[in-house]
């Protein structure tokens, strides 16, 4: 399809519970990116994939966050033992290329609320 | 975003022009981008400019790039209420990670 599909749109988790977010990139786009948008509109880069391989994971809090992009499956971002500060909107984006010249197409985000 | 700065708020009257400014520090990017975010939605690519251009016009949108001052601006002509949103400039730099500005919230007064 021509849109990046993210599910679910909203997710509420109690502190300490697991959260799993999904992203189906646009067909033919080989790069997938995850960003976290917190209250002040700041976008924090988390991780990127080239096909199923991790391309850049410099933004990932490694202790509790993990992500995968497996063939023939939506990509996923998982947070083990969520904390209050994980409350944010998580955006997935896909791109034809990885060097920035193609631009990104963003999904509409998953709003995670940790209570 | 790191080293990509924007003013936080802009308010204009319907029909006037809006100018949203952005300053960046890294000058190695081939392209610079403008994205629009409406409430509850993701980022929508509005336009981009190639780094060897000074200006790009696309219907009501005009992008100006001053590489010497590392300043990028987005002008929206004849601003409409539907233009109310948050606007982000984005600098891809080298590698594949975009650095987004802090976003400018545009309010259009009818």
């Amino acid at each position: 399809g021509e849109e990046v599909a993210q599910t679910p749109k909203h997710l509420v988790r109690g502190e300490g519970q697991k959260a799993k977010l999904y992203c189906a990139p646009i067909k033919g786009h080989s790069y997938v990116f995850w960003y976290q948008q917190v209250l002040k509109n700041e976008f924090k880069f988390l991780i990127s994939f080239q096909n199923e391989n991790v391309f850049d994971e410099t933004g990932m809090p490694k202790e509790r966050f993990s992500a995968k992009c497996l063939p023939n499956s939506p990509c996923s971002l998982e947070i083990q033992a969520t904390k209050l500060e994980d409350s944010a909107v998580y955006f997935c984006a896909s791109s034809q290329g990885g060097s920035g010249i193609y631009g990104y197409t963003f999904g509409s985000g998953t709003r995670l609320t940790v209570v | 975003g790191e080293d990509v700065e924007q003013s936080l708020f802009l308010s204009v009257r319907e029909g006037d022009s809006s100018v949203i400014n952005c300053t960046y520090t890294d000058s190695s990017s081939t392209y610079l981008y403008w994205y629009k975010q409406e409430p509850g939605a993701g980022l929508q690519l509005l336009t981009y400019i190639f780094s060897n251009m000074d200006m790009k016009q696309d219907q009501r949108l005009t992008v100006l790039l001053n590489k010497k001052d590392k300043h990028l601006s987005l002008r929206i002509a004849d601003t409409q209420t539907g233009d109310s949103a948050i606007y982000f400039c984005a600098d891809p730099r080298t590698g594949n990670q975009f650095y987004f500005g802090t976003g400018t919230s545009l309010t259009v007064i009818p």
Side-chain angles (χ1 to χ4, degrees):
Chain A
E2 289 302 308
E3 64 170 28
V4 175
Q6 287 190 250
T7 54
K9 287 200 180 305
H10 302 279
L11 190 58
V12 181
R13 287 289 178 266
E15 209 173 358
Q17 290 186 315
K18 184 171 75 175
K20 195 163 185 179
L21 291 60
Y22 297 93
C23 168
I26 290 175
K27 200 171 181 180
H29 282 191
S30 52
Y31 287 83
V32 171
F33 308 84
W34 285 99
Y35 282 82
Q36 180 194 54
Q37 187 181 29
V38 292
L39 284 175
K40 286 189 175 180
N41 294 328
E42 180 185 341
F43 279 85
K44 179 176 184 273
F45 170 77
L46 294 176
I47 190 168
S48 60
F49 288 84
Q50 181 182 15
N51 298 312
E52 61 266 27
N53 303 307
V54 174
F55 191 80
D56 181 348
E57 58 181 346
T58 51
M60 282 286 268
K62 298 227 175 107
E63 311 80 47
R64 298 181 298 107
F65 284 60
S66 62
K68 291 180 193 174
C69 274
L70 300 175
N72 304 313
S73 295
C75 296
S76 63
L77 176 69
E78 189 167 333
I79 309 172
Q80 302 285 342
T82 52
K83 296 184 177 181
L84 294 176
E85 66 254 31
D86 298 331
S87 294
V89 182
Y90 291 83
F91 286 101
C92 172
S94 69
S95 173
Q96 288 176 279
S99 62
I101 66 171
Y102 298 96
Y104 289 2
T105 302
F106 278 82
S108 53
T110 293
R111 181 176 293 278
L112 172 65
T113 303
V114 181
V115 297
Chain B
E2 190 179 322
D3 300 329
V4 182
E5 295 187 357
Q6 298 177 238
S7 51
L8 291 179
F9 301 101
L10 177 65
S11 183
V12 299
R13 293 209 172 273
E14 193 172 15
D16 288 350
S17 293
S18 308
V19 179
I20 301 169
N21 295 302
C22 171
T23 56
Y24 59 96
T25 56
D26 188 301
S27 57
S28 61
S29 301
T30 306
Y31 292 86
L32 292 160
Y33 294 84
W34 283 102
Y35 281 87
K36 176 183 180 183
Q37 186 179 32
E38 297 187 40
L43 291 172
Q44 172 196 351
L45 176 63
L46 272 183
T47 188
Y48 62 90
I49 187 166
F50 192 46
S51 60
N52 71 353
M53 295 169 67
D54 297 324
M55 184 180 89
K56 179 182 176 184
Q57 186 143 8
D58 184 359
Q59 299 182 329
R60 292 191 298 121
L61 305 178
T62 304
V63 181
L64 295 177
L65 176 60
N66 181 329
K67 283 196 78 173
K68 177 175 164 287
D69 294 339
K70 295 180 184 165
H71 183 266
L72 180 72
S73 68
L74 174 70
R75 178 177 180 270
I76 307 173
D78 187 25
T79 315
Q80 303 296 307
T81 53
D83 295 325
S84 292
I86 302 175
Y87 291 80
F88 292 89
C89 60
D91 172 9
R93 305 199 185 165
T94 55
N96 74 336
Q97 185 187 137
F98 270 45
Y99 287 87
F100 289 91
T102 46
T104 299
S105 178
L106 173 65
T107 301
V108 182
I109 304 163

